[in-house]
Amino acid sequence: MRRLPPLGAIEAFVQVARLGSVKAAANELALSAPALSRRVQNLERFIGRSLFDRRHQTIVTNADGERLLAQIAPVLDQLSDAVEAMTSGTEVLRLRLGVLPLFASQRLFPRLGELRAAHPELHLDIDTAGHGIARLGEGLDAVIALAREIDPLLYGHRLDRNSVYVIGARRLTEGPDPVVRPQQLATLTALVHRDMADTFTAWRQAAGLGDMEPLAIDHFDSGPLMLEAAAQGLGVAFMHESHFADAADPRLVRLFDIDVESPYSYWFVCRPRALRQKPVRLFHDWLIGALEKGTEV
């Protein structure tokens, strides 16, 4: 049997590669930074090549490190799950799920009790950091993403179709100069999510406003903060109908009765081979089944 490097060295490498920090990885593994660095160096000596580009205060995987991470990180995760299942005395299935905060709070978490009742053995590790699709197989098993379309090399199932709403503070429609005409957007700040960068352009074209520009465009990477900013009167948010309906915030109103199909949808995304993993398959089937039965998720 071919000799393998120590498991501790492999674990140290994966943590540093995922976190991009020796200090953070050392904290995660309850090691000192020098001890963790020695483990990584031992692995590099075993392999016979460097796995990281070491800069002044940062450490990032090089091409060899990325290739090794893609191959061994999923195996290490499966080993961890197997040990956890054996030591707990019951089968524990763990899904590492990437999901945007607004979808999680509005549409997923209100239904997690139903998921737990159906599959008590299934546990979710929730990751709300960005760029989830890019991290599939490297810490994430599956992602609920907001996108126009999905890379055909990945498995993607569209979860919804939506309309773009212009959402603003209720007081904008009150007072001596209420906002009632789309042309008045020229005096307002548009709030746009970075993952939905074309919502304003799509709405503007559908509304027949040509090249009209708002007073400014402020970009967010958080849906909840966008809604709060709109409620505070800091601008008008270009978001989905479902975001507005699920928020149920009396401070907010939909501005302008103009129907515009959104270029974006929520998708369930994973690598094709991940569907063979039981946690991914159980969650996928539960999610799709809920949608087919008309249960809003």
Side-chain angles (χ1 to χ4, degrees), residues 214-294:
L215 182 66
I217 299 179
D218 292 350
H219 292 91
F220 286 70
D221 63 2
S222 167
L225 291 182
M226 281 183 67
L227 290 171
E228 183 60 30
Q232 296 288 344
L234 303 180
V236 293
F238 287 79
M239 300 180 72
H240 279 174
E241 174 187 3
S242 63
H243 296 147
F244 174 74
D246 292 338
D249 189 333
R251 299 175 299 169
L252 295 172
V253 295
R254 177 193 181 188
L255 300 175
F256 320 122
D257 188 17
I258 300 175
D259 291 327
V260 178
E261 182 178 355
S262 174
Y264 299 96
S265 294
Y266 281 109
W267 297 76
F268 176 92
V269 189
C270 66
R271 292 184 174 185
R273 66 174 180 265
L275 283 175
R276 298 196 295 267
Q277 300 171 6
K278 190 174 181 180
V280 176
R281 188 175 66 254
L282 286 179
F283 181 81
H284 167 273
D285 292 350
W286 168 78
L287 184 66
I288 304 308
L291 291 173
E292 290 177 348
K293 290 184 291 187

Side-chain angles (χ1 to χ4, degrees), residues 66 69 129-140 143 145 154 269 271:
E66 287 291 335
L69 180 68
H131 309 291
I133 291 179
R135 295 186 291 127
L136 285 171
E138 298 179 9
L140 294 179
V143 172
L154 298 172
V269 189
R271 292 184 174 185

Side-chain angles (χ1 to χ4, degrees), residues 27-40:
N27 290 337
E28 185 73 17
L29 296 176
L31 294 170
S32 68
L36 182 132
S37 294
R38 286 194 295 271
R39 292 190 180 188
V40 173

Side-chain angles (χ1 to χ4, degrees), residues 47-201:
I47 294 174
R49 62 186 67 189
S50 174
L51 299 172
F52 294 95
D53 290 332
R54 293 169 172 83
R55 298 163 188 169
H56 178 56
Q57 291 184 336
T58 60
I59 181 170
V60 295
T61 50
N62 57 25
D64 288 331
E66 287 291 335
R67 189 160 52 249
L68 182 62
L69 180 68
Q71 294 179 36
I72 69 172
V75 177
L76 186 63
D77 290 338
Q78 291 172 16
L79 177 60
S80 176
D81 289 346
V83 172
E84 181 178 358
M86 290 296 292
T87 56
S88 68
T90 59
E91 183 184 22
V92 174
L93 302 176
R94 190 165 298 280
L95 174 70
R96 298 168 179 83
L97 179 68
V99 59
L100 293 173
L102 193 58
F103 186 96
S105 63
Q106 288 188 339
R107 307 178 69 183
L108 179 61
F109 271 69
R111 295 288 187 263
L112 285 187
E114 299 171 13
L115 176 62
R116 178 57 55 84
H119 301 291
E121 75 281 16
L122 180 60
H123 293 259
L124 304 183
D125 287 341
I126 300 294
D127 186 325
T128 59
H131 309 291
I133 291 179
R135 295 186 291 127
L136 285 171
E138 298 179 9
L140 294 179
D141 302 312
V143 172
I144 297 175
L146 193 60
R148 283 178 170 271
E149 56 187 8
I150 301 301
D151 187 329
L153 295 178
L154 298 172
Y155 170 83
H157 186 102
R158 191 191 299 269
L159 299 178
D160 71 354
R161 293 186 184 275
N162 235 302
S163 299
V164 178
Y165 271 25
V166 184
I167 305 169
R170 182 174 297 278
R171 62 177 177 271
L172 289 177
T173 62
E174 302 169 347
D177 187 24
V179 175
V180 293
R181 294 177 293 106
Q183 291 77 9
Q184 291 173 279
L185 286 174
T187 66
L188 300 171
T189 296
L191 311 177
V192 177
H193 198 287
R194 295 187 188 279
D195 288 337
M196 302 171 63
D198 294 334
T199 48
F200 169 71
T201 301

